[in-house]
Amino acid sequence: MSLIEQINSEKLPKHIAIIMDGNGRWAKQKGMLRAFGHENGAKSVRTTVETCARLGVGHLTLYAFSTENWNRPKLEVEMLMKLLINSLKNEVKTLSKNNIRLNAIGNLDRLPKSAKKELLEVIEATKNNDRMVLTLALSYGSQEEIISAVKAIAVKVKNNIISTDAIDESIINQHLYTQNLPNVDLLIRTSGEQRISNFLLWQIAYAELYFTPVLWPDFNDEDLYAAIVSYQNRERRFGKTSDQIK
Ligand code: IPE
Ligand code: IPE
Ligand code: MG
């Protein structure tokens, strides 16, 4: 049976998050500059987005640029920001055609003005689409997100808007960038690295983790299907016993 035939469409992960890693190594293997890897990575973004929407996945969140990525060489950062602007310009039609709503999480004020403007325009242009929510994590760091949530909650406690006792999981969720997103069911990381790199630390509390050696520019539909099949073959127990689940 082919991989796609093995996918049970009733048990799809509601929210898939991907750490898209390995663009630089992919380019290096080909004797090319890192920029070439990023450009080809953008192609994998397009196919992955379209395939997730076609399968019926409700939420796809892509780690595109981390707070730590600001520390890369200036030229690479500039190149990535230009690529972001061009991709947004080129993809807005595809998003609308596929009825996909764009969303973004991260410290967007750190983005160059032109990139932030383009991003907000595409978010606005796609706001009524309801087949899938595509969230781009840009200038995103989970620790920074948690710090800003803690600060916002502390201010509310200080001003007697909420009491300390009222702070629970739901209050914390409401103060994260991901406030409107369901928790992650499946987290995929490409390129063979097995780490989280400051991505969605709170939101992956019970996600299934899937690591593949495939470098992001090579990641294709079959690789996505393989991740989903692996996910569907696991027993998610959420702390209970196997008997309780069955
Ligand atoms: C992922 O690929 C893209 C970003 C982090 C922006 P990398 O650029 O990290 O590629 P490697 O890990 O160096 O191969
Ligand atoms: C994580 O990849 C960030 C993105 C994919 C955007 P990195 O390549 O920056 O992660 P580390 O530094 O190897 O952990
Ligand atoms: Mg990397």
Side-chain angles (χ1 to χ4, degrees):
M1 230 197 323
S2 69
L3 281 166
I4 186 147
E5 285 166 348
Q6 290 173 52
I7 294 180
N8 176 350
S9 58
E10 322 240 282
K11 275 178 57 190
L12 282 173
K14 286 191 184 68
H15 186 176
I16 298 181
I18 308 182
I19 302 174
M20 311 182 289
D21 197 15
N23 294 351
R25 278 162 283 168
W26 183 89
K28 196 171 178 195
Q29 281 177 3
K30 299 191 152 38
M32 305 292 280
L33 296 173
R34 294 178 60 85
F36 185 65
H38 294 312
E39 281 157 9
N40 280 276
K43 293 182 190 163
S44 296
V45 171
R46 173 189 278 176
T47 55
T48 303
V49 168
E50 287 195 303
T51 305
C52 282
R54 183 165 42 75
L55 288 173
V57 172
H59 288 269
L60 174 66
T61 299
L62 301 176
Y63 203 8
F65 194 88
S66 71
T67 46
E68 289 74 25
N69 289 150
W70 289 115
N71 299 321
R72 290 194 178 191
K74 193 164 168 267
L75 275 180
E76 180 164 345
V77 171
E78 281 172 6
M79 184 270 149
L80 284 165
M81 291 302 142
K82 274 198 201 119
L83 182 65
L84 169 67
I85 297 171
N86 287 336
S87 303
L88 287 165
K89 282 201 170 105
N90 294 333
E91 298 307 323
V92 59
K93 272 202 199 109
T94 323
L95 293 177
S96 293
K97 190 186 82 196
N98 289 293
N99 196 10
I100 297 166
R101 177 156 72 83
L102 186 71
N103 176 42
I105 54 173
N107 186 350
L108 306 182
D109 288 333
R110 271 186 92 178
L111 297 176
K113 274 204 186 75
S114 51
K116 189 178 169 191
K117 181 169 168 275
E118 196 62 47
L119 181 67
L120 296 180
E121 278 174 19
V122 181
I123 290 174
E124 177 64 23
T126 60
K127 70 176 182 200
N128 294 321
N129 297 346
D130 59 7
R131 186 179 182 204
M132 181 176 88
V133 178
L134 167 64
T135 300
L136 295 182
L138 288 164
S139 186
Y140 175 87
S142 192
Q143 291 181 332
E144 189 178 87
E145 177 185 37
I146 293 170
I147 292 167
S148 74
V150 169
K151 282 184 184 163
I153 295 169
V155 169
K156 287 185 185 170
V157 170
K158 193 171 148 209
N159 294 330
N160 292 318
I161 297 168
I162 49 176
S163 72
T164 310
D165 283 344
I167 300 173
D168 59 7
E169 208 178 301
S170 145
I171 295 275
I172 298 199
N173 275 327
Q174 286 163 33
H175 290 83
L176 297 173
Y177 298 132
T178 51
Q179 55 190 219
N180 299 315
L181 306 180
N183 279 334
V184 177
D185 295 310
L186 170 62
L187 174 74
I188 300 171
R189 182 170 190 149
T190 60
S191 90
E193 307 298 356
Q194 302 194 3
R195 56 176 172 262
I196 304 300
S197 303
N198 203 9
F199 190 43
L200 302 175
L201 299 177
W202 167 274
Q203 298 87 340
I204 59 166
Y206 256 108
E208 295 297 328
L209 309 183
Y210 182 86
F211 298 102
T212 168
V214 174
L215 301 174
W216 179 250
D218 286 330
F219 189 83
N220 61 24
D221 284 354
E222 290 299 306
D223 298 314
L224 178 66
Y225 301 155
I228 295 175
V229 168
S230 164
Y231 166 85
Q232 292 187 332
N233 286 326
R234 301 180 192 187
E235 181 177 61
R236 301 184 77 193
R237 288 189 290 278
F238 298 98
K240 296 182 179 170
T241 67
S242 192
D243 285 345
Q244 285 176 295
I245 303 299
K246 284 175 187 130

